[in-house]
Amino acid sequence: MDLQSWDSIKQTSKNNEDITVSNGKVIINNRSIFHRVVVNENIPQCDRQGNILLLHAGCYSSQTWLDHGTMHVMANRGFRTAAIDMPGYGETGGVKMDTGDPVDFMKSLIQVLGIPYPIIVSPSRSGDLTIPLIIECPELVRGYVPVSPHSTDKYSAERYRGNQTNALITYGENDTEAGRVAVANLKNLPNHTAEEFLGAGHHPYMDNPGQWHQLLLNFINSLPQ
C-alpha cells in the first residue's frame, strides 16, 4: 500500500459516521490511566473481528494513533481498538512508566478496557510493559507487533524460543543500535515474521505508514481467531 492509498483509506474511515471515539480514565494498579476506544457501532458485537491495543513510544501518546488514522481504520474493519497514555505521558500524569508490576498492570488493563485476547502493537518504550506480558502470560495475547521495543534483554534466548506468541517484528533500516538488539532478541520467537523498512528509522509506522499498515493488516488476517 503506497502513501496515497493509505491516506485514502484513512480518510474514508475517519468520515464513517458509524465510528465513535470515546475517552476517559480508568484505575489500573492504583494509577489513573487515560485511554481512547474507537469502535464501529454499525458492526454487531457478534460480527466484530477482535480487539487491538495500541501502545506508544516515549516521544508519542495515544493521540498519535488517533491522528495517524490507525484507530479509525482498524475500527472500520471490525476491531474494538483501544490506546492508552502510559504513566507520565500525554493525558496520564505521574512518574514516567510508574506502573508497578508490568504483568499485573497489563492484565488489569486488558480486563478493565474490555479487550480480551488482544493484538498488541508495542513500539519502543512500551516494551517495558509488553515484553514481560508475552513472556509470562502469552496465552492472553492473540498477536504481538513489536517495533524495536525496550526490555527484550531481560529474558534469555531460551525463553523466547519456548514462546509460541505470533509476532510481526517491524524495524527501520536506520534504527538505533538498541533497536537492532531488540530485533535480534525477538527473532528467537519461533512464530515470527520480520520486516525491515528501507530508509526508515526507529518508528517505521511514521516513516512509511502505507507499507507498515499493509503489513499489519496482512498479519492480522493470518492470525487464528
Side-chain angles (χ1 to χ4, degrees):
M1 186 192 308
D2 59 25
L3 182 59
Q4 184 176 4
S5 298
W6 166 248
D7 285 342
S8 176
I9 291 170
K10 176 175 67 175
Q11 197 57 50
T12 297
S13 299
K14 286 193 171 188
N15 290 341
N16 187 340
E17 295 181 354
D18 293 322
I19 291 179
T20 62
V21 180
S22 61
N23 58 65
K25 291 193 172 184
V26 291
I27 302 299
I28 309 292
N29 280 12
N30 297 315
R31 293 153 178 86
S32 181
I33 304 297
F34 180 83
H35 70 282
R36 306 174 195 273
V37 176
V38 181
V39 297
N40 188 331
E41 301 291 354
N42 194 43
I43 299 176
Q45 185 70 35
C46 60
D47 291 334
R48 290 188 181 163
Q49 300 301 305
N51 303 302
I52 295 176
L53 174 60
L54 302 167
L55 301 181
H56 61 83
C59 55
Y60 297 120
S61 69
S62 64
Q63 184 70 45
T64 304
W65 296 115
L66 195 66
D67 293 344
H68 211 39
T70 310
M71 299 191 77
H72 284 80
V73 170
M74 295 305 163
N76 204 32
R77 280 161 171 71
F79 291 91
R80 180 178 176 86
T81 307
I84 68 164
D85 289 350
M86 299 184 299
Y89 296 94
E91 300 295 324
T92 297
V95 178
K96 288 184 176 180
M97 301 307 290
D98 176 26
T99 62
D101 181 83
V103 175
D104 287 345
F105 179 89
M106 290 299 294
K107 289 169 68 174
S108 296
L109 180 69
I110 289 168
Q111 180 179 15
V112 171
L113 292 184
I115 49 170
Y117 202 44
I119 299 158
I120 300 179
V121 177
S122 177
S124 195
R125 187 70 187 272
S126 66
D128 292 344
L129 299 177
T130 61
I131 292 294
L133 179 71
I134 68 156
I135 294 295
E136 304 296 338
C137 302
E139 72 280 359
L140 298 182
V141 179
R142 181 179 169 195
Y144 185 49
V145 186
V147 189
S148 301
H150 289 198
S151 292
T152 63
D153 57 349
K154 292 182 178 179
Y155 297 93
S156 67
E158 288 72 22
R159 292 295 298 274
Y160 289 106
R161 293 188 188 112
N163 191 291
Q164 298 304 309
T165 302
N166 293 300
L168 169 63
I169 303 165
T170 62
Y171 58 101
E173 177 187 21
N174 302 318
D175 202 350
T176 62
E177 180 61 30
R180 290 191 169 276
V181 169
V183 170
N185 291 331
L186 289 167
K187 284 184 176 179
N188 287 302
L189 290 168
N191 298 327
H192 82 266
T193 300
E195 295 287 345
E196 181 182 57
F197 286 75
L198 298 180
H202 193 52
H203 307 289
Y205 52 94
M206 300 297 287
D207 295 335
N208 194 335
Q211 182 186 356
W212 189 87
H213 283 88
Q214 183 65 70
L215 285 172
L216 176 62
L217 290 169
N218 292 346
F219 171 70
I220 290 172
N221 290 335
S222 74
L223 293 173
Q225 293 293 327

